[in-house]
Amino acid sequence: MRGVTAALLALSAAGCATLAEPSGPSAGAWITSADRSALLTAASPLVFAVRPESGPTVTVDPTQRFQTMVGFGASVTDASAHLIQTRLSEPARDGLLKELFGRDGQGLGFSFTRVTVGASDFSLDHYSLADTADPELKDFSTARMEEHVFPTVRAALAINPDLKVMASPWSAPGWMKTSNSLITGQLKPEHYPAYADYWRLYIRSASDHGVPTDYLSIQNEPDFEPDSYPGMRWPPADRARFIGQHLGPELRAAGIESQILDWDHNWDQPEQPLTVLADPVAREYVSGVAWHCYGGEVGAQSTVRDAHPDKDVFFTECSGGEWSPDFGDSFVWTMKTLIIGSVENWARGVLMWNLALDENYGPHAGGCGDCRGIVTIDSRTGEVTRNQEYYTFGHASRFVMPGAVRVASLEPEGLDGVAFVNPDGSRVLIALNEGTEPVQFDIAEGGRRAATELPPRSAATYVWR
């Protein structure tokens, strides 16, 4: 794999040089195949020419414009940050972060990430930022996040200043809850003011330590109470009350412009965010809805967006894992459902779960015991393995720039795809052939066409001007 990766990076660097200095009507192409014969590998450029339609065609129409993209990425969990900061040498750490967040011809260019406010299951232990029962929050501290999470995010921001950061808690402090514990329970209404203050203190402290909070959700997976790690059930009417009467006014009075996303949970209950957005007071403070992949269908994103076209859509969590160990199967599913499907259903940003985990799928404190990170860092040697999600997301993050606009594309039977126009005017098409036979087709824009072939169970990114 190391030899393949070295060759891949060399090909990608050459390909990105072609992209940076285009010569004539041609398109760069990069391919990943389920059999791993190609891994984000640069292919021969495509040549556009004026000619009539002669077969299956992907038609790109830049005049039909949809959402503006924030970007793609993965979460800097406690586990990911711990591994990056403590299991890699300084040169290896710098190199990995440049590879994941950089845009120097070899980097994936991740421009969206998520941090957990306090502990999740992917922490070394369970904690909040104010564990002492005190509504005045005198002991509030982000010290635990300052150890590994904040330095990792700051380093990523230094590499990619376009990086946007989302913050999500897995639980309010236990003393604020009906369970008197970080595990299970609901937030007591009498502590809504203190919890709004908790958020204000977090955003200010994170900012003081160089970490912005561009987006936040008030609760990760609010319709789930896990029994082995922090979690908190929070019904939609109560979330609306907290946002509309407490958090929204608190942040506005403090001059904090972080955007609030509701839900942050699965596709199977669109009625939950619809209930929050039906509240006229809460709706004023909610900028959009965040979604996870663990239940339901991706079309739920459009169901809610169609009802509230003024609200943004973000896809904020899905994990690969050993329940789907085959490279090809999970590569094809992730490409079809997340990179193409969620964006075709209005997502402005798309996130996988852990940026990095170790050879034992951790560290973690409860919860998922076989989740997979974008990369695996061997906790004994520091060796980095790039997993299928690395290549899937790289097909988008390396080529679709922050500020790109999704545009219309029409694919023939046998292909899935999504298209963009970057701020510099370059076009990007991501196409997937999930079938077992190669597909020959043209890419067409205006009166020009370029012929190509996509191998079975493969995806390609095409870039042209």
Side-chain angles (χ1 to χ4, degrees), residues 78-98:
D78 286 355
S80 299
H82 170 79
L83 290 168
I84 289 168
Q85 295 295 329
T86 70
R87 295 297 182 264
L88 296 176
S89 66
E90 184 175 350
R93 179 169 60 249
D94 292 347
L96 179 61
L97 290 174
K98 287 177 182 176

Side-chain angles (χ1 to χ4, degrees), residues 22-367:
S23 56
S26 64
W30 292 261
I31 296 176
T32 297
S33 294
D35 64 5
R36 289 186 266 198
S37 59
L39 295 170
L40 260 176
T41 303
S44 299
L46 283 58
V47 178
F48 281 92
V50 177
R51 56 180 175 80
E53 181 175 346
S54 60
T57 301
V58 176
T59 303
V60 176
D61 181 1
T63 67
Q64 295 187 55
R65 300 166 69 88
F66 304 101
Q67 76 269 29
T68 300
M69 301 302 296
V70 169
F72 302 82
S75 294
V76 179
T77 58
D78 286 355
S80 299
H82 170 79
L83 290 168
I84 289 168
Q85 295 295 329
T86 70
R87 295 297 182 264
L88 296 176
S89 66
E90 184 175 350
R93 179 169 60 249
D94 292 347
L96 179 61
L97 290 174
K98 287 177 182 176
E99 181 180 342
L100 293 170
F101 294 95
R103 291 195 181 277
D104 59 356
Q106 297 182 0
L108 293 195
F110 281 173
S111 56
F112 187 31
T113 193
R114 182 176 179 227
V115 299
T116 70
V117 180
S120 72
D121 45 332
F122 284 94
S123 297
L124 279 66
D125 58 88
H126 299 162
Y127 67 94
S128 77
L129 307 185
D131 286 330
T132 300
D134 172 21
E136 296 185 4
L137 302 175
K138 292 187 180 70
D139 78 332
F140 179 92
S141 173
T142 57
R144 290 292 301 273
M145 300 183 70
E146 293 162 26
E147 292 176 9
H148 299 136
V149 173
F150 287 172
T152 304
V153 176
R154 282 198 303 270
L157 280 161
I159 295 164
N160 182 1
D162 289 328
L163 181 68
K164 301 301 181 186
V165 182
M166 177 182 177
S168 301
W170 266 235
S171 175
W175 57 269
M176 294 186 183
K177 299 168 60 184
T178 55
S179 61
N180 199 35
S181 170
L182 291 173
I183 299 175
T184 71
Q186 299 187 32
L187 183 62
K188 295 179 180 178
E190 60 263 33
H191 289 309
Y192 281 13
Y195 198 44
D197 199 33
Y198 181 94
W199 266 108
R200 179 184 59 81
L201 291 171
Y202 168 75
I203 294 169
R204 290 295 193 208
S205 182
S207 178
D208 289 344
H209 288 90
V211 175
T213 304
D214 299 292
Y215 302 92
L216 66 89
S217 67
I218 62 171
Q219 175 60 40
N220 174 73
E221 299 188 345
D223 197 53
F224 181 46
E225 292 179 78
D227 61 7
S228 63
Y229 63 92
M232 189 169 78
R233 192 177 299 275
W234 207 342
D238 295 333
R239 297 199 307 274
R241 176 185 168 193
F242 175 72
I243 293 169
Q245 299 180 24
H246 299 278
L247 182 62
E250 173 98 1
L251 298 186
R252 182 169 292 178
I256 293 173
E257 297 181 354
S258 304
Q259 297 187 44
I260 299 171
L261 306 177
D262 184 51
W263 192 219
D264 211 5
H265 206 168
N266 294 333
W267 294 316
D268 57 357
Q269 295 188 68
E271 66 275 8
Q272 287 237 12
L274 286 170
T275 298
V276 172
L277 292 173
D279 184 299
V281 179
R283 184 170 61 241
E284 177 185 350
Y285 297 104
V286 175
S287 70
V289 177
W291 299 92
H292 296 184
C293 74
Y294 310 114
E297 301 295 333
V298 67
Q301 296 178 183
S302 286
T303 299
V304 176
R305 200 268 179 190
D306 289 348
H308 296 277
D310 60 325
K311 302 302 181 185
D312 287 335
V313 179
F314 284 84
F315 181 84
T316 52
E317 186 185 314
C318 193
S319 184
E322 290 311 294
W323 56 86
S324 180
D326 181 78
F327 181 99
D329 289 346
S330 49
F331 171 80
V332 168
W333 184 91
T334 304
M335 180 63 73
K336 180 181 179 69
T337 311
L338 303 188
I339 299 300
I340 296 173
S342 74
V343 175
E344 286 278 288
N345 285 278
W346 294 99
R348 297 187 60 206
V350 184
L351 290 173
M352 287 301 288
W353 184 205
N354 289 276
L355 186 67
L357 292 176
D358 68 17
E359 73 280 6
N360 297 312
Y361 315 108
H364 65 98

